Each structure stands twice: as structure tokens, then as C-alpha cells.
């Protein structure tokens, strides 16, 4: 399947669709999942056209990894999850629903069960509040 330049994450990258951003640099963008599995569920996308791991070149791939680490530290420091799932789906059969490569960071909290993947749209104010908390934590981490 050819890359669809109108996919929702491409539109977010172009500023045509809103997102609750937590970190951005020249190579990547991190923003909250609109249907989070848990509080702080974050997606990291490269700023290149790649549908999945097979299309993603090593260099943008390593930029995604670097941003994932930064944001993971920010989530850990600010939301205090008891665990952190980092995952990435390739292909419909694997559960991929948006065909622009993305990494998921899913915080896990003891006694707070995970919700179903991609089922329930979160309240925008709640997302904005969480994004602000993570964004500040990542700024602090980057500043050292
Ligand atoms: P995947 O199933 O790995 O392709 O994950 C796609 C994710 O994108 C799902 O968890 C959706 O909840 C999420 N999602 C879909 N549309 C948006 C959007 N406009 N903003 C943020 N996250 C989105």
C-alpha cells in the first residue's frame, strides 16, 4: 500500500489538525493519543513519510527512539506510572489503524486498568492538562 499523505498524523504534522503536543524538534513530534489506553498515552511520529517499520529509514527511526526516551523520562518524572509500555504496530493484522509510523508510550498505573485501544475519545480539557504536565517535565529534562 502506498503512503497516504492525507492520513491523520500527516495532517497533524502539517498543522491542519490539532494535537495535544508534548515535544517537538526538527525530526519528530510527540503528542497525546486522543483515545488513550491510560493517562499520558503518547505517540511519537517522525517527520518523514513512512507507513511502517519497513518504510522507515534508520536515521529518522533513531530520531524517533531518541524522542521516545526523552518523553518516557518526562512521563516517568511527572505522572509516576508504575510501569511503561513502549510499542509500535505494523499492518492491519497487528492492529495498526493510522498508516504513518508511530511509537506508543503507554504508562501503566497499579490499580488503574488499561482501557481498550482506540475506543473512547478523551475529554479535550483533560488531555490539555496532561499534555502541559508532560511538556514541562520534558523541558526540564532537556534543560538538564
Ligand atoms: P495504531 O493502532 O497503532 O495505528 O494507533 C493509532 C492511534 O492513534 C490510536 O491509539 C488512536 O487512538 C490514535 N489516534 C487516532 N486519531 C488521532 C488523533 N487525531 N490524535 C491523536 N491520536 C489519534
Amino acid at each position: 500500500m502506498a503512503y497516504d499523505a492525507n492520513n491523520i498524523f500527516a495532517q497533524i504534522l502539517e498543522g491542519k489538525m490539532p494535537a495535544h503536543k508534548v515535544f517537538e524538534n526538527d525530526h519528530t513530534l510527540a503528542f497525546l493519543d486522543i483515545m488513550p489506553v491510560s493517562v499520558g498515552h503518547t505517540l511519537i511520529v517522525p517527520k518523514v513519510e513512512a507507513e511502517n517499520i519497513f518504510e522507515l529509514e534508520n536515521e529518522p527511526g533513531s530520531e524517533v527512539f531518541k524522542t521516545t526516551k526523552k518523553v518516557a523520562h518526562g512521563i516517568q518524572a511527572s505522572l509516576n506510572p508504575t510501569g511503561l509500555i513502549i510499542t509500535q504496530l505494523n499492518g492491519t493484522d497487528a492492529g495498526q489503524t493510522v498508516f504513518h509510523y508511530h511509537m506508543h508510550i503507554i504508562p501503566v498505573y497499579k490499580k488503574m486498568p488499561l482501557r481498550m485501544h482506540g475506543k473512547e475519545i478523551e475529554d479535550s480539557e483533560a488531555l490539555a492538562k496532561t499534555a502541559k504536565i508532560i511538556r514541562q517535565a520534558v523541558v526540564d529534562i532537556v534543560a538538564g
Side-chain angles (χ1 to χ4, degrees), residues 11-74:
Q11 292 187 49
I12 288 173
L13 284 170
E14 286 171 22
K16 291 179 184 165
M17 288 292 288
H20 294 281
K21 298 181 183 181
V22 302
F23 178 79
E24 183 165 18
N25 63 15
D26 289 346
H27 308 288
T28 59
L29 175 66
F31 54 95
L32 293 189
D33 195 298
I34 204 171
M35 293 176 265
V37 166
S38 65
V39 174
H41 181 175
T42 301
L43 305 171
I44 296 96
V45 300
K47 293 184 177 181
V48 293
E49 294 189 353
E51 194 177 300
N52 53 38
I53 193 148
F54 306 111
E55 293 184 0
L56 188 69
E57 300 288 346
N58 286 344
E59 227 164 274
S62 63
E63 293 296 337
V64 169
F65 185 73
K66 283 192 253 180
T67 296
T68 300
K69 276 200 79 167
K70 277 193 192 91
V71 175
H73 278 288

Side-chain angles (χ1 to χ4, degrees), residues 3-139:
Y3 179 84
D4 171 13
N6 280 321
N7 75 73
I8 190 77
F9 293 170
Q11 292 187 49
I12 288 173
L13 284 170
E14 286 171 22
K16 291 179 184 165
M17 288 292 288
H20 294 281
K21 298 181 183 181
V22 302
F23 178 79
E24 183 165 18
N25 63 15
D26 289 346
H27 308 288
T28 59
L29 175 66
F31 54 95
L32 293 189
D33 195 298
I34 204 171
M35 293 176 265
V37 166
S38 65
V39 174
H41 181 175
T42 301
L43 305 171
I44 296 96
V45 300
K47 293 184 177 181
V48 293
E49 294 189 353
E51 194 177 300
N52 53 38
I53 193 148
F54 306 111
E55 293 184 0
L56 188 69
E57 300 288 346
N58 286 344
E59 227 164 274
S62 63
E63 293 296 337
V64 169
F65 185 73
K66 283 192 253 180
T67 296
T68 300
K69 276 200 79 167
K70 277 193 192 91
V71 175
H73 278 288
I75 288 172
Q76 193 62 44
S78 59
L79 300 179
N80 287 310
T82 49
L84 210 60
I85 297 169
I86 296 180
T87 189
Q88 188 269 313
L89 311 178
N90 298 281
T92 308
D93 286 351
Q96 185 176 8
T97 56
V98 178
F99 294 92
H100 180 108
Y101 180 94
H102 53 280
M103 195 75 91
H104 292 258
I105 302 181
I106 301 172
V108 180
Y109 308 89
K110 221 176 208 164
K111 296 181 187 159
M112 200 191 288
L114 295 178
R115 295 190 220 160
M116 287 283 283
H117 175 222
K119 285 282 180 231
E120 213 177 302
I121 295 188
E122 180 60 284
D123 171 62
S124 182
E125 263 182 46
L127 288 173
K129 207 171 148 192
T130 303
K132 191 175 173 196
I133 291 168
I134 300 173
R135 197 161 51 239
Q136 186 57 52
V138 177
V139 166

